[in-house]
Amino acid sequence: MSSLRLLTSVARRASSIPLGRRGYAEVNDKLKLSLVLPHQSIFTSTDVVQVNIAAEAGDMGILANHVPSIEALRPGVVEVIETTGASKKWFTSSGFATVHPNNKLTINVVEAAPLEQFSLEAVRTNLAEVLKVASGSGSEADKTEARIEADVYEALQHALAK
């Protein structure tokens, strides 16, 4: 019975603590984006309106006042919508996105390139080649490496087909 009294007491105290309310981002709210590769910074605390990422848990859009979180990135597109309304897209191989309090977003990626630098025909050709290796009679290491390459090429092909 004493544990029930303890829980009831804690519940009463917790309900009296004021909690900050979260709401939708205002039109004037901006997100400070840092998009970083090991050898280059694409954005450094730059004001943007929205960032769309390909997270392992699914695609997500991040606006100002987003709940803090850490997301693993899968191969896919990172789209940045700037304050001018212009949209820039990069294809990333993998990485992490960290949403910090106070409207800060840090994206650390292993590799990234502007989406317009890729050719759909070249991606399809390379995908066909790695699928042959993945289903061939090579070593398990070669097959595994080819499957990883195929995943990246398939994600890239999907991004270019949009």
Side-chain angles (χ1 to χ4, degrees):
M1 192 67 169
S2 64
S3 61
L4 179 59
R5 280 188 228 142
L6 175 64
L7 286 175
T8 306
S9 172
V10 170
R12 271 193 229 115
R13 288 185 190 143
S15 64
S16 65
I17 298 171
L19 297 175
R21 292 224 176 245
R22 298 197 56 80
Y24 293 105
E26 295 294 325
V27 175
N28 296 331
D29 288 347
K30 303 293 181 255
L31 193 59
K32 290 241 183 251
L33 172 65
S34 294
L35 177 57
V36 182
L37 285 71
H39 61 279
Q40 174 187 12
S41 293
I42 298 173
F43 288 99
T44 306
S45 292
T46 305
D47 284 340
V48 298
V49 175
Q50 180 175 344
V51 179
N52 300 319
I53 61 172
E56 286 287 343
D59 293 345
M60 58 188 292
I62 301 168
L63 297 165
N65 300 321
H66 194 282
V67 64
S69 64
I70 298 174
E71 299 293 334
L73 301 178
R74 60 181 161 74
V77 174
V78 171
E79 179 183 19
V80 177
I81 301 171
E82 298 178 317
T83 56
T84 61
S87 171
K88 293 185 179 177
K89 296 180 181 181
W90 285 269
F91 185 81
T92 62
S93 60
S94 64
F96 287 91
T98 307
V99 182
H100 304 275
N102 302 326
N103 297 327
K104 292 180 184 175
L105 172 62
T106 304
I107 301 176
N108 297 308
V109 295
V110 177
E111 296 175 301
L115 194 57
E116 64 267 6
Q117 287 185 357
F118 295 96
S119 159
L120 185 57
E121 294 77 30
V123 169
R124 286 182 178 155
T125 301
N126 291 340
L127 176 58
E129 289 176 19
V130 297
L131 287 174
K132 286 178 190 173
V133 173
S135 62
S137 60
S139 70
E140 282 304 310
D142 290 341
K143 289 180 180 181
T144 302
E145 186 176 318
R147 284 187 203 107
I148 293 169
E149 284 185 62
D151 288 345
V152 173
Y153 280 125
E154 287 170 351
L156 186 52
Q157 178 177 295
H158 177 72
L160 290 170
K162 285 185 176 178

